Amino acid sequence: MGKVIVITSGKGGVGKTTSTANLGTALAMIGKTVVLVDADIGLRNLDVVMGLESRVVFTSMDVIEKNCDLDKALVKDRRVEQLVLLAASQRNRKDDIKPEQMQDICERLKEIYDFVFVDSPAGIEQGFHNAAAGAEEAIIITTPDVSAIRDADRIIGLLQNQNIEPINLIINRLSPALVKKGNMISKNDVLDILNIDLLGVIPEDTGVIASTNRGIPLVHNDGSPGAEAYMRIARRMTGQRIPIPEMRDDNFFSKLLTWFSRNQ
Amino acid sequence: MDFRKLFTRKTKSNNIATQRLQLILKQDRFEVGEDSMKKLQYELTEVLSKYFEFTMNSVNMSLKQEGNSYVLIADFPFSESKNL
Ligand SMILES: Nc1ncnc2c1ncn2[C@@H]1O[C@H](COP(=O)(O)OP(=O)(O)OP(=O)(O)O)[C@@H](O)[C@H]1O
Ligand SMILES: [Mg+2]
């Protein structure tokens, strides 16, 4: 029996879909069976980020309306074994689906897959509630800025009321150079404020954009800092004890600054 | 001479952000808490009604902020006690 994990944030555009695609792919690469469920009905994106859009025939709405069986609606990723996607309907609205229907789909999927990841839409309305309905655990994605952290705090409160536990955190788009200069909220400050466990930190990585353009999740292209960060999180999620490294800032200018202050 | 000072004239913006967030979240959590207060008041009244007779609509509960902590103030004026 697998587990259902909702990936959510409150604020839009902080990296929920990117993280769902990469964590799912990473876990499949290390041998887990994974299904990614797009719960962003009407604004689906996960199929595009995964590069599977041309092969989507049925959606979760077709499963609910009994137009097809659940396993027929699952699109196989051809690059990794045991990784599938359940796409969201693009012609429906968030409230066309009921929490119980979402819950039912998740229950059935977790009997087959080790990990059921649900990519939540932004906001705290019906779409979010549907995404969380079938989940037993949550991963909060935030970027290190005031608005995203504020919204994350609100979402954490809502999830705690639904007894979703554990709720873990991924800090996305952290720029070590900016933190060092004092122009970005640091990892430790985010943790102090939100007070939940940290699963990992994903650096700002320009590779994410190219990978989205190509429809190939970043983790396929190992070596990039973002890919490595996602791989470490995936290993952590399978119970391996992988420490969270302090992010080094390899920017030339800041190296120079450190050198100066050491040698004065 | 500290070379770092050359590049950091103003208060670091991350410190400002963290301070603002702490204030914003205090307010947010307080507002969300008010909903839970209504529920708590209802449940407390239910339990206390086993022992006291309350005059209608006299129950009053509030949360006050004192420095860094909160104080729960509850007024349950009763007309009669039962089973005591
Ligand atoms: N670590 C990163 N480095 C650089 N760019 C990133 C990173 N993570 C995400 N992005 C970019 O941010 C944008 C938003 O990402 P994404 O679609 O994953 O967010 P989302 O939370 O799913 O958004 P929505 O709320 O609209 O569903 C994308 O253009 C993506 O390429
Ligand atoms: Mg998204």
Side-chain angles (χ1 to χ4, degrees):
Chain A
M1 186 72 95
K3 48 187 169 185
V4 183
I5 305 174
V6 61
I7 300 195
T8 186
S9 67
K11 187 169 188 288
V14 297
K16 295 178 290 297
T17 303
T18 305
S19 297
T20 307
N22 280 289
L23 279 184
T25 305
L27 278 159
M29 286 165 89
I30 54 179
K32 297 293 168 185
T33 59
V34 181
V35 54
L36 309 178
V37 180
D38 192 344
D40 204 343
I41 294 158
L43 282 175
R44 78 176 192 210
N45 275 320
L46 189 53
D47 54 337
V48 174
V49 174
M50 290 294 294
L52 298 174
E53 69 278 8
S54 64
R55 291 174 35 223
V56 173
V57 181
F58 297 110
T59 65
S60 49
M61 195 52 84
D62 290 311
V63 177
I64 288 165
E65 290 173 344
K66 298 200 160 53
N67 297 332
C68 76
D69 286 342
L70 178 57
D71 54 302
K72 249 197 143 175
L74 303 176
V75 183
K76 286 198 178 64
D77 184 288
R78 287 183 178 149
R79 297 157 297 207
V80 213
E81 268 181 65
Q82 308 284 20
L83 174 63
V84 298
L85 166 79
L86 178 59
S89 160
Q90 189 69 338
R91 63 185 161 79
N92 287 86
R93 299 161 58 90
K94 306 259 184 286
D95 45 12
D96 288 346
I97 209 166
K98 291 195 193 71
E100 309 83 64
Q101 295 171 322
M102 194 63 186
Q103 207 173 344
D104 178 57
I105 290 181
C106 292
E107 291 292 325
R108 287 159 66 191
L109 288 173
K110 80 172 181 191
E111 286 182 9
I112 315 168
Y113 293 92
D114 297 328
F115 288 92
V116 182
F117 285 112
V118 185
D119 181 17
S120 157
I124 55 171
E125 291 79 26
Q126 185 69 36
F128 157 71
H129 285 289
N130 284 341
E136 42 222 320
E137 298 185 11
I139 296 177
I140 305 285
I141 313 288
T142 191
T143 46
D145 63 272
V146 177
S147 314
I149 296 169
R150 178 190 200 178
D151 294 357
D153 187 74
R154 181 88 170 87
I155 287 282
I156 292 167
L158 292 172
L159 292 171
Q160 281 169 342
N161 283 344
Q162 290 184 41
N163 296 321
I164 290 185
E165 150 83 34
I167 303 170
N168 288 313
L169 182 70
I170 291 180
I171 303 174
N172 189 22
R173 308 193 73 162
L174 191 105
S175 161
L178 287 183
V179 171
K180 198 161 186 181
K181 282 190 210 144
N183 276 328
M184 184 177 272
I185 303 175
S186 70
K187 176 193 81 182
N188 288 339
D189 282 341
V190 178
L191 288 180
D192 276 351
I193 290 165
L194 291 180
N195 199 23
I196 57 173
D197 286 336
L198 181 68
L199 207 49
V201 181
I202 313 296
E204 174 73 25
D205 186 338
T206 48
V208 172
I209 297 159
S211 104
T212 308
N213 287 344
R214 295 202 171 89
I216 303 171
L218 198 63
V219 289
H220 282 294
N221 167 14
D222 49 36
S224 95
E228 284 186 358
Y230 278 119
M231 286 308 300
R232 276 195 300 271
I233 293 177
R235 293 214 177 82
R236 240 170 253 136
M237 290 181 74
T238 62
Q240 291 182 43
R241 308 194 83 236
I242 311 277
I244 298 174
E246 284 305 320
M247 289 220 175
R248 287 222 332 278
D249 159 34
D250 292 330
N251 170 308
F252 169 72
F253 184 66
S254 55
K255 273 189 191 153
L256 198 65
L257 269 179
T258 322
W259 188 85
F260 264 133
S261 45
R262 223 186 302 129
N263 293 287
Q264 49 189 295
Chain B
M1 156 175 199
D2 186 351
F3 277 87
R4 281 164 188 263
K5 287 229 174 83
L6 283 176
F7 305 98
T8 51
R9 294 174 305 275
K10 291 180 259 172
T11 309
K12 299 256 171 78
S13 78
N14 63 340
N15 294 332
I16 299 173
T18 311
Q19 281 163 21
R20 287 177 61 212
L21 255 171
Q22 269 152 355
L23 282 176
I24 291 167
L25 290 189
K26 210 168 218 180
Q27 182 65 33
D28 283 358
R29 286 169 185 167
F30 187 84
E31 279 174 25
V32 172
E34 288 203 320
D35 281 347
S36 315
M37 278 284 284
K38 288 197 191 106
K39 197 164 159 247
L40 175 64
Q41 175 170 329
Y42 176 80
E43 287 177 7
L44 276 179
T45 313
E46 229 176 13
V47 173
L48 290 169
S49 297
K50 286 190 207 159
Y51 302 95
F52 303 99
E53 191 85 56
F54 294 116
T55 38
M56 290 285 279
N57 299 327
S58 58
V59 178
N60 189 15
M61 273 175 54
S62 61
L63 207 54
K64 288 219 165 64
Q65 197 175 346
E66 285 190 0
N68 277 330
S69 59
Y70 295 105
V71 185
L72 177 65
I73 300 168
D75 273 322
F76 287 90
F78 60 92
S79 51
E80 228 172 291
S81 60
K82 311 174 188 171
N83 315 323
L84 282 182

